[in-house]
Structure formats: C-alpha cells, structure tokens
Amino acid sequence: MHAHLNNSVAQYQLPIGDKLLTMNDLVGEQISLEFNGEIICSNCKKRTNKSYSQGFCYPCCQRLAWCDLCIMKPETCHHHLGTCREPQWGLDNCFNPHIVYLANSSGVKVGITRKSNIPSRWIDQGAIATLPILEVSNRLKSGQIEIALKDYVNDKTNWRKMLKNKVEYANLGTTRDALLKKISHLIDTLGAIVLDNEVLEINYPVVEYPSKIISLNFDKTPKIEGVLQGIKGQYLLLDTGVLNIRKFSSYHITLTY
C-alpha cells in the first residue's frame, strides 16, 4: 500500500491490478477482500507457496540484499567486507543520506530511514508525530547511532497501542535535546549533521479505532469483509478486525465495495 501526506493527512493507495485505488475514499464503506490462492514473488514474478520478507519467494529471499539481516540491523552492514549479496544495490540504497528520527507511534521511539523515504516511512509506522534529529552519509552510520540511542529510548512500536490510538503524549523537541547530549561524542566521530526541524504531525483517515485487536489473515480466512473504519500504518481497520495489508503484498486479491 502506497502512502503520502496531503495537508498533514495520510493518503493511501492500494495497487489493484494495474491501477491504484484511493483507499481513503472507502473509509466508512463495506468492503470485501478475497484471496484467490495465488502468491507471486515481487522480484522474480514466479508463483510461490509462501511469501517471505513481505513478498518474496524463498530463493529470492536468500539471494537479495533487501532480505539480508543487515536491513533489519543496519549496524551489521558488511558491504566493506566484500560480502554484500548485491554490491551495486548496496551502493545505490545504503550509501546515500539517512535520517535518524524520533517518532511517537505508541510512545517515543528512535528510528532510521533513507532521506528519500520521508514521510512515507513515518506513515508506515502509524506515527502521529515525528522529528528528524540527525543526518548521516550512509545506513551503517545511522544504525550505529540508533544502537547508541537505544540505551535511552525505545526503538519499537507497540502495534496494538498504535492501532487503538492509545499514544502517550511526548515533547519530541525536549527529548531530542536530551538525547543528543548523551551521544555528542558519537555525533562528532561519525560526522553527523544535527538537524533543526519542526515536529511534523500526521493524521490518519479513521472514523473509529478498535477497542479490541483481532488480527485477520488471508492464510486462515481467504475472504475478509467488513466496514472499513479507518487506515493507520499499514493496517486496514475493519469492524471485524485489523489486516496488515503489507504482509500480504504479493497475494492476489479481489477487492469489492
């Protein structure tokens, strides 16, 4: 599901065939999503019985740099050792400006992303407020800073609280100032640029948040239907449960409304 901001409101588009469907327009409507049993690898386009790493067949998952452990743990980048699965891909994606940021999704967390992924990365996480704090030249450095900051602030989102909109208020500016003092030596060592940005607030197209989280899954229930009460992060919030649509990005589905 693609996402962008328009006047601080997250706008979602879902690829259906060759078209992009504006999902915001369907909030409040009865919808049905039916899995036809076919999963197509998003890389090699071959049929697969199971999706790995959100959309790949097993051979591609084992071969692609995008699926390597260092994507989840950037501080383990091994490109400099000559062992990157796809060296050119690594140069194109990991050796460009990265941002270290604070976000409030279920409470304050630290995160990193390519500069070019702003603000879609924040929408993906369901953050209601974000603040870029540092810019570095590559992914490895951003991972090293994130590891250092994890001693003082969380790096995970409590997805259940995020979906219920039970988010604790936090002053991201004050938090930034305190954290940067704690890692000032590392900032100098890595040549990080301290950013002076304003907090960005993000609103989501939700008419009602769930009071109880019931996870929906195409592998267990090929046909999922209900009233679309909202969209937050990569989740469709139905009156029948919540669906992590990104998890099923390589599944062929039919959407009716």
Side-chain angles (χ1 to χ4, degrees):
M1 189 158 57
H2 306 304
H4 66 278
L5 273 183
N6 184 12
N7 294 325
S8 79
V9 177
Q11 305 291 325
Y12 290 95
Q13 293 178 309
L14 184 66
I16 298 292
D18 297 328
K19 298 180 180 179
L20 287 175
L21 180 65
T22 301
M23 293 298 293
N24 294 53
D25 295 341
L26 299 183
V27 173
E29 301 292 330
Q30 176 82 20
I31 68 170
S32 172
L33 301 107
E34 187 168 5
F35 172 44
N36 69 6
E38 188 174 53
I39 307 173
I40 303 297
C41 174
S42 59
N43 179 61
C44 70
K45 308 305 179 185
K46 294 181 180 179
R47 186 167 182 167
T48 176
N49 293 326
K50 184 177 180 180
S51 174
Y52 297 86
S53 297
Q54 298 180 345
F56 301 98
C57 65
Y58 185 75
C60 285
C61 181
Q62 294 297 299
R63 179 175 58 82
L64 296 174
W66 172 252
C67 301
D68 204 351
L69 177 64
C70 52
I71 294 300
M72 296 299 297
K73 296 183 176 182
E75 71 279 4
T76 64
C77 173
H78 49 96
H79 192 281
H80 60 288
L81 299 176
T83 53
C84 181
R85 292 180 177 182
E86 298 176 280
Q88 188 57 52
W89 186 94
L91 289 174
D92 294 340
N93 290 274
C94 301
F95 288 83
N96 47 35
H98 277 64
I99 299 295
V100 181
Y101 62 86
L102 298 178
N104 192 359
S105 47
S106 60
V108 180
K109 69 176 289 291
V110 61
I112 66 170
T113 187
R114 289 198 305 271
K115 191 174 182 179
S116 59
N117 280 347
I118 293 174
S120 60
R121 173 60 174 162
W122 301 333
I123 299 173
D124 284 351
Q125 294 181 337
I128 63 168
T130 63
L131 181 62
I133 61 174
L134 294 168
E135 179 176 333
V136 291
S137 59
N138 60 54
R139 186 173 178 82
L140 173 59
K141 290 181 179 180
S142 68
Q144 291 170 332
I145 292 174
E146 183 181 37
I147 285 295
L149 289 176
K150 282 169 61 175
D151 289 338
Y152 311 104
V153 65
N154 204 348
D155 69 325
K156 297 288 189 300
T157 294
N158 183 320
W159 65 277
R160 292 180 178 275
K161 286 186 176 181
M162 181 271 288
L163 291 179
K164 291 180 179 180
N165 204 36
K166 293 186 176 180
V167 184
E168 304 170 6
Y169 171 77
N171 187 316
L172 297 184
T174 301
T175 304
R176 170 197 59 196
D177 296 342
L179 290 175
L180 292 183
K181 289 180 181 178
K182 294 181 181 297
I183 62 164
S184 58
H185 176 70
L186 184 60
I187 291 173
D188 293 339
T189 300
L190 297 179
I193 300 171
V194 177
L195 302 175
D196 186 22
N197 292 48
E198 297 292 328
V199 173
L200 174 67
E201 296 184 353
I202 302 174
N203 298 294
Y204 295 88
V206 180
V207 294
E208 184 176 348
Y209 285 98
S211 58
K212 182 180 180 181
I213 301 299
I214 300 173
S215 295
L216 302 174
N217 188 318
F218 284 120
D219 295 325
K220 298 179 179 179
T221 310
K223 188 174 184 179
I224 293 172
E225 50 191 350
V227 175
L228 181 61
Q229 296 181 322
I231 312 169
K232 192 176 186 185
Q234 284 289 321
Y235 288 84
L236 302 182
L237 311 182
L238 303 170
D239 63 346
T240 53
V242 301
L243 176 66
N244 183 345
I245 197 69
R246 168 164 285 181
K247 180 180 179 180
F248 304 101
S249 58
S250 289
Y251 285 54
H252 279 212
I253 63 170
T254 299
L255 171 65
T256 56
Y257 55 93

